[in-house]
Amino acid sequence: MQSKKHVIGKAEVQRAADLLEAYRRGKQSLDRRILEDERWYRLRHGAAVRPGEPAPASGWLLNSLLGKHGDMMDNYPAPDVLPREPSDMQDAKTLSRILPVILERSDFEGLYSRNAYPKLRHGTACYGVFWDPEAEDGRGDVRVTAVDLLNLFWEPGVRDIQDSRNLFLVTQCDNDLLDAAYPALRGKLRAPVDSVNQRIPEDVLDRSGKSQVVDWYYKKRLPNGKTIVHFCKFVGSTVLYASENEQMFMSQGLYDHGQYPFVLDVLFPLEDSPAGFGYVDLMKGTQGYIDQLDAIILNNARLAGRPRWFYRDACGVNEQEFADFTRDFVHVTGRLDPDDLRQIEVEPLPAFIANHLQNKVEELKETSGNRDFAQGGTNSGVTAASAIAALQEAGSKLSRDLIKGSYRAFTQVCTLVIELIRQFYDDSRAVRITGEDGKPVFLTLGGLARRDRHVAFDIQVRAQKASPFTQMSRNEQAKELYRLGFFRPDLAGQALIALEMMDFDGIETVKKRIAAQAGVQQSVTGPQGTASNTKQGAPLTVAQQLIPKTGTSASRAGEGETP
């Protein structure tokens, strides 16, 4: 029995359930589009072709998605926490080394790969950043998960899910597990629930022994103007947990950061929804025309490849023997006239149909940015590695924009992780990392959890794995700089001026090396440089400049004694 002090009870849960149904109706259009995109992704869109005809489902669309997924994995993000004030430097350095460990515990690379597919297919992927009190043998830890967008419901019409007054995450759980975890539910979980949209199942699923579990997040504004987020888990009309019923969370909310623990990674945004649309929506029209043209060509080939005949009744031809291609002889009774048995001629398709098919394939490539050189192929006699790398770099604008969007979502994920660390980690929590010498090192947060909650950090995201095409381009760039003499000490001044007008990864390192090499050359040749070591105004080579001065003086002395 609930205490009278409990804020969330049966009546509040019933109002939340009604609100959930309203949110669900407002999201029906998006859910239908997601399920339709799923059929195209699984190459099951050819079922609409009439029975008896070829039903091709070519993989041009899927190939484009796989190419984009490869680009995202080639640029897997890595966090770098930067301080905003000098006093935050040590904490920022510690968090920069601890964050990858926490993300690795949640297998974030696998989550990143998994979430890349719904982002490409539907235009939206969702991450959940939660505090799991049962992790680490009951000590609790941060848990990052992938969330199915079909199970998430927000207020219709909002642009950002953080602007929604309520947020619902709906899942299904086995009744016996719920009974074991929550004794108050025993005897109340007997009706099957199938109100959550389901993707195309690969296996036959039995949902008769499951119940709908609702995670209800909602925001409240306090009299002092602060907005906090509360959490309630319920099944039917039974409250399993409510943060607002707990004294320690009543006035501060579940999470100190005051945000919903969800991050949406959107591809092509929409103005009236926090979700976007993806490449399947962009390409399925063209892919449909490609498959229809394929069906026409295949049907014509099927008719032409199996001849059919006009057969006059009582013409005297043994029909069974004539249809059996394994027989060498066919019996005929009486005289066989040419009109008694005549082949049905199938006209070949006009050439423009095959050309139109190829044009549609090229249109799909152009629309998705999945051109041939993006996958290593070339045309028009382009064979130089530098030219191929330049084409790949110029043609990867769509992929770079796609990856930048994922980096922004990754930054939000890291920010939520840091806020949970500050709220729930204590001074004794240690994390093992690999030191610079390869040996294990243990780091503690040193009281970061007790610091001022208003202290913020800047998070810089960098690519942890470089694309091989980008590496090829950088190698060609380095060789080109070498050929132009950028690394000659006597041309250091000119090289640094040119580098000031250029921009590429690692340019600061190149500037420092060139300046350092020029300084070494200056110390060897003396303050006069090459001008004092010239003969008839011609500068000496680098090798000549490195000859010891004693040897040069002796040689000149010998020359002076010769009459």
Side-chain angles (χ1 to χ4, degrees):
M1 179 179 296
Q2 291 184 343
S3 172
K4 294 181 180 180
K5 296 182 180 180
H6 285 181
V7 180
I8 302 300
K10 184 176 181 179
E12 289 74 18
V13 166
Q14 185 58 51
R15 286 195 292 269
D18 296 338
L19 196 60
L20 170 60
E21 289 304 316
Y23 285 13
R24 194 193 306 274
R25 290 191 298 269
K27 189 169 167 278
Q28 284 181 353
S29 177
L30 173 61
D31 290 344
R32 284 195 298 267
R33 179 165 61 83
I34 290 176
L35 296 176
E36 177 67 17
D37 293 344
E38 194 75 16
R39 284 190 284 270
W40 286 84
Y41 171 70
R42 300 193 185 195
L43 303 181
R44 297 185 180 181
H45 56 279
V49 181
R50 289 177 296 176
E53 294 186 1
S58 57
W60 292 105
L61 184 151
L62 179 59
N63 182 65
S64 296
L65 297 181
L66 296 179
K68 299 295 183 184
H69 184 273
D71 292 338
M72 294 182 66
M73 296 309 298
D74 275 339
N75 295 273
Y76 177 70
D80 189 11
V81 182
L82 305 177
R84 290 189 180 180
E85 297 181 1
S87 59
D88 303 330
M89 292 185 62
Q90 184 58 42
D91 289 337
K93 182 179 179 180
T94 302
L95 287 171
S96 294
R97 306 179 73 179
I98 288 179
L99 262 182
V101 178
I102 296 177
L103 294 175
E104 184 179 355
R105 289 176 180 174
S106 295
D107 187 24
F108 187 80
E109 184 173 357
L111 293 177
Y112 183 80
S113 175
R114 177 182 173 183
N115 263 4
Y117 287 109
K119 178 178 181 178
L120 296 170
R121 292 197 305 266
H122 319 310
T124 311
C126 183
Y127 295 96
V129 185
F130 311 101
W131 177 258
D132 184 2
E134 298 180 358
E136 296 293 313
D137 296 328
R139 298 183 65 191
D141 205 351
V142 180
R143 179 169 56 91
V144 184
T145 64
V147 178
D148 191 344
L149 202 64
L150 288 175
N151 299 334
L152 194 65
F153 300 92
W154 54 81
E155 181 180 352
V158 299
R159 177 70 182 273
D160 189 341
I161 61 171
Q162 298 297 337
D163 296 332
S164 179
R165 297 184 61 182
N166 301 268
L167 196 65
F168 298 93
L169 177 63
V170 181
T171 56
Q172 292 187 354
C173 185
D174 293 330
N175 289 339
D176 58 340
L177 297 179
L178 289 172
D179 287 341
Y182 304 98
L185 292 175
R186 292 177 182 174
K188 301 179 181 181
L189 305 173
R190 296 296 176 262
V193 176
D194 194 17
S195 58
V196 180
N197 287 322
Q198 300 292 333
R199 299 181 185 273
I200 304 173
E202 295 293 338
D203 302 322
V204 179
L205 302 179
D206 182 14
R207 300 188 181 95
S208 59
K210 297 179 181 293
S211 293
Q212 177 177 278
V213 181
V214 180
D215 290 349
W216 172 29
Y217 296 87
Y218 57 97
K219 290 187 177 182
K220 294 189 66 175
R221 188 174 181 85
L222 300 180
N224 60 4
K226 180 182 178 181
T227 300
I228 60 176
V229 60
H230 277 294
F231 166 73
C232 175
K233 181 187 288 288
F234 65 90
V235 175
S237 59
T238 304
V239 178
L240 305 182
Y241 176 82
S243 61
E244 201 169 1
N245 292 343
E246 301 290 336
Q247 187 65 34
M248 62 179 299
F249 294 122
M250 185 176 295
S251 59
Q252 68 182 43
L254 179 66
Y255 295 131
D256 288 349
H257 54 63
Q259 301 292 315
Y260 293 131
F262 300 97
V263 176
L264 297 186
D265 186 2
V266 179
L267 181 54
F268 302 125
L270 299 172
E271 291 298 326
D272 56 350
S273 173
F277 67 96
Y279 275 108
V280 172
D281 302 292
L282 184 66
M283 296 185 292
K284 64 184 180 184
T286 305
Q287 179 67 63
Y289 286 125
I290 291 174
D291 292 337
Q292 291 180 33
L293 292 171
D294 268 342
I296 292 173
I297 294 174
L298 289 174
N299 190 51
N300 181 263
R302 182 173 63 88
L303 295 176
R306 184 174 181 179
R308 301 171 64 213
W309 303 80
F310 291 116
Y311 180 87
R312 178 179 294 176
D313 291 340
C315 67
V317 176
N318 190 311
E319 184 177 347
Q320 288 74 22
E321 294 181 357
F322 180 74
D324 187 356
F325 287 92
T326 63
R327 290 182 174 272
D328 295 328
F329 301 98
V330 178
H331 292 86
V332 178
T333 302
R335 182 178 179 181
L336 182 65
D337 294 332
D339 291 337
D340 292 339
L341 197 65
R342 187 174 61 190
Q343 183 175 352
I344 301 175
E345 297 182 0
V346 178
E347 295 292 335
L349 292 174
F352 78 87
I353 293 181
N355 294 334
H356 192 54
L357 171 61
Q358 186 59 37
N359 290 337
K360 283 297 179 182
V361 171
E362 295 299 325
E363 176 187 341
L364 189 144
K365 291 181 180 180
E366 290 291 331
T367 303
S368 64
N370 194 40
R371 300 167 182 167
D372 292 337
F373 53 80
Q375 296 185 331
T378 58
N379 51 24
S380 303
V382 180
T383 57
S386 58
I388 295 174
L391 287 174
Q392 290 168 338
E393 192 70 19
S396 62
K397 290 184 292 185
L398 293 178
S399 293
R400 292 200 299 270
D401 184 61
L402 163 72
I403 293 166
K404 286 293 185 182
S406 293
Y407 281 5
R408 289 190 292 270
F410 179 73
T411 300
Q412 297 179 42
V413 170
C414 291
T415 301
L416 293 180
V417 171
I418 290 176
E419 293 301 323
L420 293 182
I421 290 174
R422 298 169 67 179
Q423 179 178 353
F424 293 104
Y425 273 35
D426 52 29
D427 296 347
S428 62
R429 182 70 65 99
V431 177
R432 186 185 71 244
I433 67 171
T434 302
E436 297 180 357
D437 56 355
K439 297 181 179 180
V441 178
F442 292 89
L443 293 180
T444 59
L445 295 184
L448 179 64
R450 297 195 306 268
R451 304 289 174 82
D452 186 1
R453 298 287 186 234
H454 298 289
V455 175
F457 298 94
D458 292 326
I459 299 178
Q460 183 183 54
V461 180
R462 64 182 186 276
Q464 192 174 43
K465 298 179 181 178
S467 167
F469 305 126
T470 304
Q471 189 65 36
M472 181 188 300
S473 176
R474 294 187 64 182
N475 293 342
E476 290 295 326
Q477 184 183 43
K479 291 190 288 186
E480 184 66 19
L481 293 177
Y482 175 79
R483 285 192 293 266
L484 294 175
F486 271 58
F487 306 137
R488 287 178 53 182
D490 56 318
L491 299 179
Q494 301 177 21
L496 291 175
I497 293 175
L499 288 174
E500 289 295 335
M501 297 181 288
M502 300 172 66
D503 184 20
F504 54 86
D505 291 339
I507 188 172
E508 295 299 328
T509 302
V510 176
K511 289 180 181 179
K512 292 179 180 179
R513 295 295 296 272
I514 291 177
Q517 192 174 9
V520 172
Q521 179 67 20
Q522 182 71 18
S523 64
V524 172
T525 59
Q528 299 299 325
T530 57
S532 62
N533 294 324
T534 58
K535 192 173 185 178
Q536 296 180 352
L540 298 177
T541 65
V542 175
Q544 292 171 332
Q545 295 172 13
L546 296 178
I547 298 176
K549 293 182 179 181
T550 54
T552 305
S553 300
S555 176
R556 288 178 179 176
E559 291 176 359
E561 294 175 357
T562 303

